[in-house]
């Protein structure tokens, strides 16, 4: 019983210093296929929800849940569910508005496509700026750490730039 009260206390106090918001974004991604080193570009849009928790004057923890609508693969839709967590460090204090951020992301493909795995692990690194307490803009470079290919001796990885605009309530 004590641990349940402790968890409830932690949840309530963590929400006290947190902001919830929405994010819209644009992705420009390069997909690299090996062997053969062929590449192709794909782009798309992202919409999602974010939770920002202030850890200190210069450090935040931000998590997100979003949908990525990317270009089709052949005739198949290419919609992904993205789960992310990142640390944001305010370079000259929170009042400057400028921050660097880094963290992992897991993407899950909704549709089964022959030869492709459903999920992938990514790492992101970027910069951002808080225009106000409610509006932020981020530029993130994401690179895929795991392989999308479900075929031996064949590798599919993607990397690219994401631009995101966030609004907090």
């Amino acid at each position: 019983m004590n641990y349940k009260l402790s968890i409830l206390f932690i949840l309530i106090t963590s929400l006290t210093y947190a902001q919830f918001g929405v994010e819209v974004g644009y992705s420009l991604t390069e997909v690299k296929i090996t062997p053969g080193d062929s590449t192709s570009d794909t782009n798309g849009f992202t919409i999602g929800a974010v939770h920002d928790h202030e850890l200190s004057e210069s450090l935040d923890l931000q998590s997100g849940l979003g949908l990525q609508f990317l270009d089709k693969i052949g005739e198949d839709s290419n919609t992904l569910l993205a789960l992310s967590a990142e640390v944001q460090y305010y370079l000259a204090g929170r009042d400057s508005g400028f921050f660097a951020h880094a963290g992992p992301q897991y993407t899950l493909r909704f549709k089964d496509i022959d030869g492709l795995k459903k999920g992938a692990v990514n790492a992101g690194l970027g910069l951002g700026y808080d225009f106000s307490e409610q509006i932020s803009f981020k530029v993130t470079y994401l690179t895929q750490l795991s392989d999308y290919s479900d075929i031996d001796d064949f590798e599919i990885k993607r990397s690219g730039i994401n631009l995101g605009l966030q609004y907090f309530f």
Side-chain angles (χ1 to χ4, degrees):
M1 181 73 167
N2 250 352
Y3 74 92
K4 289 181 182 176
L5 287 175
S6 298
I7 291 172
L8 181 63
F9 176 75
I10 291 169
L11 285 174
I12 290 172
T13 56
S14 70
L15 292 176
T16 305
Y17 300 103
Q19 283 186 298
F20 293 92
V22 293
E23 181 174 14
V24 294
Y26 176 76
S27 299
L28 178 60
T29 305
E30 179 183 76
V31 179
K32 185 175 183 179
I33 302 170
T34 53
D37 290 331
S38 66
T39 61
S40 64
D41 293 331
T42 181
N43 54 44
F45 296 94
T46 303
I47 187 167
V50 291
H51 173 261
D52 189 84
H53 183 80
E54 184 178 322
L55 299 175
S56 71
E57 179 58 32
S58 59
L59 199 63
D60 281 8
L61 178 63
Q62 190 173 97
S63 58
L65 176 66
L67 290 174
Q68 295 179 346
F69 302 97
L70 302 174
D71 291 338
K72 288 184 175 184
I73 298 176
E75 293 299 315
D76 295 317
S77 67
N78 193 12
T79 304
L80 307 173
L81 177 69
L83 304 165
S84 63
E86 66 184 32
V87 174
Q88 294 179 340
Y89 177 72
Y90 285 85
L91 302 171
R94 191 171 302 279
D95 291 338
S96 74
F98 288 100
F99 60 88
H101 61 95
Q105 181 188 64
Y106 181 76
T107 54
L108 181 67
R109 187 177 311 283
F110 282 110
K111 185 165 177 107
D112 286 329
I113 299 174
D114 288 339
L116 293 182
K117 295 178 183 172
K118 287 204 58 115
V121 177
N122 306 288
L125 180 66
L127 296 171
Y129 181 73
D130 291 338
F131 291 103
S132 69
E133 295 253 340
Q134 284 81 29
I135 299 174
S136 294
F137 178 76
K138 296 184 345 180
V139 177
T140 308
Y141 173 76
L142 278 170
T143 187
Q144 190 169 319
L145 301 176
S146 61
D147 181 12
Y148 257 137
S149 176
D150 212 12
I151 302 169
D152 292 338
D153 299 324
F154 200 70
E155 185 176 79
I156 301 172
K157 290 194 174 184
R158 66 185 187 118
S159 60
I161 301 290
N162 290 350
L163 306 174
L165 186 63
Q166 298 176 326
Y167 178 79
F168 292 97
F169 306 109

